[in-house]
Amino acid sequence: MESTQLDLVITDFKSEAKDTVVLELQHPHKFDLPAFSAGSHLEVYLANGLIRHYSLLNSSAEKHRYVIAVGLSAETKGGSQYIHQHLRVGDQVKVSHPRNNFVLGDTEEYCFIAGGIGITPILSMVHWCIQHHKKWRLIYALRHKQRASFYEYLMQLSPDNIQFYFNDENNDQHLNAHEIVNGLSEKEHIYCCGPNAMMQSVKDATQALSTERVHFEWFSAPAIAISEVQSSGSFQLKLKKSGKKIQVKADQSILDALEEDGFELPFSCRAGICRTCETTICSGIADHQDMILSNEERDANRTMLICVSRAKSQILELDL
Ligand code: FES
């Protein structure tokens, strides 16, 4: 069976604005890499045992390399810090094949809204729009100009399509999402990625729009989703392969309960935004609490994200 992991080499590692580094990854023998679409990400398996997700920012037309950017997170649990401090050109890294949870639909006009390091998936979308002669614009919000990753790059790429918004030049006011939404053309679709506060304000401002026109890539789950997860009751897990039965307490995730029982399962965000823990459902009804499955996937009840989702039925059988 073909491996789902790739061993790549870091062929470029450079600083891009304050606390952001850009890594170029290539096959050790310069072979072509598996294709990807705009909005895709890689899972990066770090030597310290952590799995982290990073969006591919280069053009999906490029076959020979993947490019990712890593911002040094203030709440780092060891992922971004490890990359900043320990990885350099020539090092090998293990990554997944590209996956896409933020698919760019083919429409006529695009309004991209990015904040901070959330610019990365948007960059690959901008490349796609340029290649396909699509009408697009980008609103890129940042706290200060000095933290503007890819500022020079974007200015060279297509300055007329890009509006930078610096909080410190606007009396520390955040981007006004309602103003943007009120100014949308009838054909524009929104693609938004950035800090949760910005995403939430865009989500609130777009309530009246059809969901087909508004797309988000969350870096962490909004607090409201987590509080809802904690409110549902306990239930029983039946595990098809191992034959085990495990009780999941009201204040526990399925993943926590399985780990407590000795299972070692893949995970990354533990917040329902990355799909690393996606697990097949054999019977029972999932109570989906993630931020990433589509309505069709939820209704199909075939898989679930066990780091946050729970059960609507008293017994839930998983393929574990
Ligand atoms: S670990 Fe990321 S969705 Fe479950």
Side-chain angles (χ1 to χ4, degrees):
M1 199 171 76
E2 196 191 347
S3 168
T4 56
Q5 296 188 348
L6 303 164
D7 287 305
L8 304 182
V9 176
I10 300 174
T11 47
D12 196 13
F13 184 103
K14 62 185 175 212
S15 177
E16 169 68 51
K18 196 170 183 303
D19 292 338
T20 302
V21 291
V22 174
L23 286 77
E24 179 191 71
L25 309 172
Q26 293 193 29
H27 190 279
H29 302 299
K30 306 285 183 205
F31 294 159
D32 279 356
L33 298 172
F36 68 98
S37 51
S40 295
H41 68 271
L42 297 178
E43 282 179 5
V44 179
Y45 307 98
L46 298 172
N48 62 3
L50 295 176
I51 304 172
R52 288 292 177 264
H53 289 217
Y54 296 105
S55 297
L56 290 164
L57 61 91
N58 54 317
S59 163
S60 52
E62 293 184 338
K63 305 257 185 290
H64 68 295
R65 65 177 191 153
Y66 297 144
V67 184
I68 58 174
V70 180
L72 188 61
S73 163
E75 297 102 40
T76 181
K77 295 183 185 130
S80 61
Q81 192 179 46
Y82 181 89
I83 291 173
H84 276 246
Q85 291 180 353
H86 297 285
L87 294 185
R88 293 294 178 265
V89 169
D91 288 343
Q92 291 233 351
V93 281
K94 202 177 271 301
V95 302
S96 67
H97 282 222
R99 296 183 188 147
N100 201 337
N101 298 329
F102 190 35
V103 177
L104 185 68
D106 192 356
T107 189
E108 286 182 50
E109 295 179 26
Y110 299 84
C111 173
F112 299 115
I113 306 174
I117 197 70
I119 188 66
T120 52
I122 301 292
L123 279 175
S124 70
M125 293 179 167
V126 164
H127 286 299
W128 186 90
C129 285
I130 292 172
Q131 278 154 16
H132 292 84
H133 310 290
K134 294 287 186 180
K135 190 168 176 188
W136 64 277
R137 64 186 170 120
L138 163 64
I139 299 147
Y140 184 16
L142 295 132
R143 260 185 251 152
H144 329 278
K145 198 169 184 176
Q146 71 173 141
R147 295 193 73 107
S149 306
F150 306 103
Y151 178 80
E152 303 295 337
Y153 180 74
L154 285 165
M155 289 304 279
Q156 284 170 16
L157 197 64
S158 190
D160 294 344
N161 297 59
I162 302 166
Q163 178 195 339
F164 288 93
Y165 181 95
F166 300 111
N167 290 3
D168 65 343
E169 292 178 6
N170 290 279
N171 300 321
D172 282 330
Q173 295 294 307
H174 291 290
L175 196 67
N176 187 327
H178 284 279
E179 230 168 64
I180 297 170
V181 173
N182 290 340
L184 283 179
S185 81
E186 283 187 4
K187 291 181 178 168
E188 271 181 315
H189 284 216
I190 290 182
Y191 286 79
C192 178
C193 185
N196 271 11
M198 188 196 86
M199 303 265 283
Q200 195 61 53
S201 72
V202 175
K203 200 165 195 286
D204 293 343
T206 52
Q207 287 301 323
L209 295 184
S210 135
T211 52
E212 284 170 16
R213 288 184 63 191
V214 192
H215 311 266
F216 296 98
E217 170 94 313
W218 295 91
F219 283 157
S220 57
I224 189 164
I226 291 167
S227 65
E228 279 168 10
V229 169
Q230 289 170 343
S231 66
S232 51
S234 75
F235 56 93
Q236 191 185 67
L237 273 187
K238 225 172 118 184
L239 305 178
K240 191 173 180 185
K241 287 182 184 146
S242 62
K244 285 191 171 182
K245 288 183 180 161
I246 295 173
Q247 197 66 25
V248 182
K249 296 179 210 138
D251 61 350
Q252 200 179 27
S253 71
I254 294 177
L255 182 59
D256 286 339
L258 289 165
E259 286 176 340
E260 203 174 274
D261 198 75
F263 281 82
E264 286 187 17
L265 299 164
F267 68 85
S268 178
C269 69
R270 296 188 91 105
I273 56 170
C274 75
R275 284 188 106 124
T276 306
C277 66
E278 189 165 2
T279 303
T280 301
I281 302 164
C282 300
S283 65
I285 311 287
D287 182 6
H288 296 287
Q289 304 279 354
D290 62 273
M291 301 295 297
I292 209 160
L293 294 184
S294 66
N295 289 340
E296 292 74 28
E297 287 172 312
R298 284 160 198 251
D299 292 345
N301 195 51
R302 283 198 200 98
T303 65
M304 66 188 295
L305 305 184
I306 58 171
C307 63
V308 290
S309 296
R310 303 180 62 78
K312 282 185 179 160
S313 49
Q314 271 308 303
I315 300 175
L316 184 69
E317 188 180 14
L318 299 178
D319 193 26
L320 289 171

